[in-house]
Amino acid sequence: MLGWALTFLVIAIIAAVLGFGGIAGAAAGIAQILFFVFVALFVISLIVNLMRGRGTRV
């Protein structure tokens, strides 16, 4: 999912450089939403791992 966020961010940057304001804004908005969804899922997975009480085994 982070890959999708980075893809839309690159599309937004390229569109902004070329002057396509509407496309750049839409792609940047999608990238931002995907990034925050990714961060929320990451934090939830960390909390669930801590609740289980299992550590990493060496």
Side-chain angles (χ1 to χ4, degrees), residues 2-48:
L2 185 58
W4 282 103
L6 292 175
T7 301
F8 279 107
L9 178 64
V10 169
I11 291 171
I13 291 170
I14 292 171
V17 168
L18 295 176
F20 302 120
I23 297 171
I30 293 171
Q32 185 177 14
I33 290 168
L34 288 175
F35 177 76
F36 284 119
V37 167
F38 172 77
V39 169
L41 290 174
F42 176 71
V43 169
I44 290 170
S45 71
L46 284 179
I47 292 171
V48 168

